[in-house]
Amino acid sequence: MDTLERTSYDTILRSLAPIGGGLAACGLPPSGIIENRTFDELAIGDAAQIVRSFSNEDVERFASVSGEVNPTRLDPNDAGQTGFDGVIAHGMLGESMFSTVLGTLLPGPGTIYLGQDLRFGGRVRPGDTLTAKVVVRERHADSKRVVLDCRCTNQNGNEVISGRAEVIAPAGKVRRERAALPEVSVIHHKAYADLLSHAGGQPPLPTAIVHPCDRDSLQGALEAAALGFIKPVLVGPESKIRAVAKEADLDLSGQQIINTSHSHEAAEVGVALARDGKVKALMKGSLHTDELMHEVMRRENRLRTARRISHAYVMLLASSGKPLILSDCAINIAPGLEEKVDIVQNAIDLAIALGVAVPKVAVLSAVETVTPAMPSTLDAAALCKMADRGQIRGGVLDGPLAFDNAIDAAAALTKGIASAVAGHPDILVVPNLEAGNILAKQMSFSGGADAAGIVLGAAVPIILTSRADSVRTRLASCAAAVLAAGARA
């Protein structure tokens, strides 16, 4: 390639302005052919560059992938306290632009990166536009090594990174379609972080972990203990618990273990510990829900109260900054009006414990009008009137509401629904277990929500997780139980 061709090539690359996410944001065409420059095609002075603007979201993506979460990268307040005037990007985020040039343009596909020597002479901030340029400085024919000068400047022409890179240039020609990359979005789980932060201010909750004989249930309990949420008592076959810990490389040092022969006995012992006041919460491990709840429901164990026992999911959606309580999805199969009163009151009390001053309760049905042929609409209307008369306390109710009207204010307005609840609910009360279970799983598996499960209305909160729940979900469930127990103390 002669000098004129090299200059034109460099000019084309320089003209590529970032226009959004993906390859265009890197100063590269979003699709098409990529082609390398073999060692024999390279000459001293050959150059290529890309231009890219960096956003706050880019910095967060890099932090998420790399794990480098220095507060100066993510928190303006911390950055200010350490002497920086606002957030600064990772130095290696700018360096990655050189990798992009070397791996896709010059020399391009087939290049082997041997090393680099870079100096970071300026700060890169979200909003800056950087130009990363490499220039061939040395060619070594015997080894096919190429040394390139690297220089990165910001929109003001100030040098922020400089140095050299050493590569082995490809010997063979590569020409192929550019790979299509997925779009990557930053999702903030603010509701999840806030829940854990709120619970972190409470003393550890003595909790019987019933039959923690698989990795997730044992690890979840130990991590919740490490975060100070709970003080666990592990109840189950000790040999199985220790075998799981060994296989998962979990440390049981200092943990109390009460040995039982099987899961049924673990449920009996765990419930007895709660009955006798030796623990203040129960947490389901790797046993069936029925095994644990059968013991809880036995009157002689004295864990039942005047309130109907019900289940609630604290749904933590990335799209929302607040939790959304969904009840009842796991205990009461087809509750009548009397049972729904307690289900609603339990959910309201939980929402208040989570920090919601006056919870907004949407009572769901398939339609938003009272329809005698649909008993759930009659129950919804009755519940709202009971709240007006003080029979349900602490929250604001509206219903019946269809799901779209409950969660979307625009949908409610379209149907002429004037409501303080529609579009802004803190609690969704489902008509029966089937509807609630389907909705909860849809939110979890399709909507990416963390679903913290807790049983309410008993003498102690019961952390009722699914055997398929992740450690992350178990932590959230522990946090919810800590807050629920604290509100009752």
Side-chain angles (χ1 to χ4, degrees):
M1 182 179 285
D2 61 26
T3 303
L4 177 60
E5 288 175 325
R6 288 198 301 274
T7 302
S8 299
Y9 180 72
D10 188 71
T11 301
I12 291 171
L13 288 172
R14 185 166 54 247
S15 71
L16 293 172
I19 57 174
L23 291 167
C26 301
L28 297 172
S31 62
I33 302 296
I34 57 173
E35 184 175 353
N36 67 1
R37 309 265 296 285
T38 67
F39 180 84
D40 292 337
E41 292 175 324
L42 293 174
I44 303 298
D46 282 353
Q49 71 180 38
I50 61 172
V51 181
R52 179 174 181 182
S53 295
F54 287 100
S55 66
N56 276 309
E57 195 170 70
D58 292 321
V59 177
E60 291 172 340
R61 286 192 190 102
F62 193 88
S64 179
V65 171
S66 68
E68 209 280 62
V69 291
N70 185 329
T72 60
R73 318 295 188 195
L74 304 170
D75 190 325
N77 293 325
D78 280 328
Q81 292 172 6
T82 53
F84 298 109
D85 182 20
V87 168
I88 58 173
H90 307 74
M92 299 307 289
L93 185 55
E95 181 279 336
S96 67
M97 296 178 67
F98 295 130
S99 296
T100 301
V101 177
L102 296 170
T104 62
L105 298 174
L106 185 72
T111 297
I112 299 174
Y113 216 143
L114 294 177
Q116 62 186 19
D117 180 12
L118 300 176
R119 294 190 64 81
F120 299 88
R123 298 168 186 165
V124 177
R125 304 184 185 282
D128 284 353
T129 298
L130 303 185
T131 300
K133 181 176 182 179
V134 302
V135 180
V136 176
R137 178 186 179 89
E138 302 174 17
R139 296 173 73 257
H140 299 273
D142 55 338
S143 59
K144 307 296 184 184
R145 288 187 304 110
V146 178
V147 177
L148 303 99
D149 287 326
C150 302
R151 186 168 185 264
C152 184
T153 56
N154 65 16
Q155 65 275 9
N156 299 318
N158 299 323
E159 186 175 88
V160 293
I161 309 174
S162 61
R164 293 184 182 179
E166 184 177 358
V167 305
I168 296 178
K173 197 69 177 171
V174 176
R175 189 174 189 274
R176 56 170 295 175
E177 288 283 343
R178 185 182 300 278
L181 298 177
E183 290 293 329
V184 179
S185 299
V186 175
I187 299 176
H188 293 280
H189 285 268
K190 183 178 185 300
Y192 183 90
D194 286 350
L195 175 63
L196 267 58
S197 177
H198 193 185
Q202 304 291 323
L205 183 66
T207 304
I209 317 300
V210 182
H211 203 256
C213 294
D214 67 0
R215 176 175 183 149
D216 283 345
S217 61
L218 183 57
Q219 184 177 350
L222 295 178
E223 290 195 12
L227 290 172
F229 294 156
I230 65 173
K231 182 179 179 181
V233 178
L234 307 178
V235 183
E238 185 170 357
S239 59
K240 287 186 178 181
I241 294 172
R242 292 196 179 278
V244 170
K246 182 178 180 180
E247 183 179 354
D249 194 24
L250 301 173
D251 185 7
L252 294 180
S253 300
Q255 300 299 332
Q256 181 181 357
I257 301 176
I258 298 179
N259 184 41
T260 67
S261 300
H262 43 66
S263 58
H264 292 294
E265 186 182 356
E268 293 174 2
V269 172
V271 168
L273 291 172
R275 179 194 63 210
D276 297 339
K278 295 179 180 178
V279 298
K280 302 298 182 183
L282 296 170
M283 183 174 182
K284 174 179 171 285
S286 58
L287 76 170
H288 289 285
T289 297
D290 288 349
E291 291 183 80
L292 178 58
M293 293 309 299
H294 174 75
E295 291 300 318
V296 170
M297 298 298 289
R298 288 174 61 185
R299 291 192 179 277
E300 55 266 35
N301 283 324
R302 302 191 303 276
L303 291 189
R304 297 178 65 176
T305 67
R307 190 82 64 80
R308 179 82 175 188
I309 287 178
S310 64
H311 178 271
Y313 276 123
V314 181
M315 308 300 296
L316 304 162
L317 298 107
S319 59
S320 173
K322 66 175 187 176
L324 179 66
I325 294 173
L326 192 59
S327 188
D328 179 333
C329 306
I331 299 292
N332 295 285
I333 297 174
L337 178 60
E338 186 175 359
E339 291 80 19
K340 288 181 179 179
V341 172
D342 284 345
I343 290 170
V344 172
Q345 191 65 65
N346 286 340
I348 289 173
D349 292 347
L350 176 60
I352 292 172
L354 298 183
V356 181
V358 182
K360 298 180 177 67
V361 184
V363 186
L364 297 183
S365 185
V367 296
E368 63 280 349
T369 55
V370 178
T371 305
M374 300 182 70
S376 62
T377 67
L378 301 177
D379 287 348
L383 290 168
C384 292
K385 180 53 67 175
M386 294 173 80
D388 291 343
R389 299 289 170 85
Q391 293 172 269
I392 298 173
R393 300 174 303 281
V396 177
L397 276 65
D398 196 8
L401 289 171
F403 182 75
D404 56 343
N405 303 319
I407 64 168
D408 190 295
L413 287 174
T414 299
K415 294 200 173 182
I417 300 172
S419 170
V421 175
H424 312 284
D426 300 296
I427 299 168
L428 299 178
V429 177
V430 297
N432 54 50
L433 184 147
E434 290 175 323
N437 193 272
I438 292 169
L439 179 56
K441 289 179 178 176
Q442 187 276 331
M443 286 184 175
S444 296
F445 290 93
S446 297
D450 294 301
I454 183 170
V455 173
L456 307 163
V460 299
I462 302 166
I463 303 163
L464 194 63
T465 54
S466 165
R467 283 172 290 170
D469 282 344
S470 65
V471 171
R472 175 184 173 91
T473 298
R474 294 172 193 272
L475 285 177
S477 300
C478 288
V482 168
L483 295 171
R488 297 169 59 171

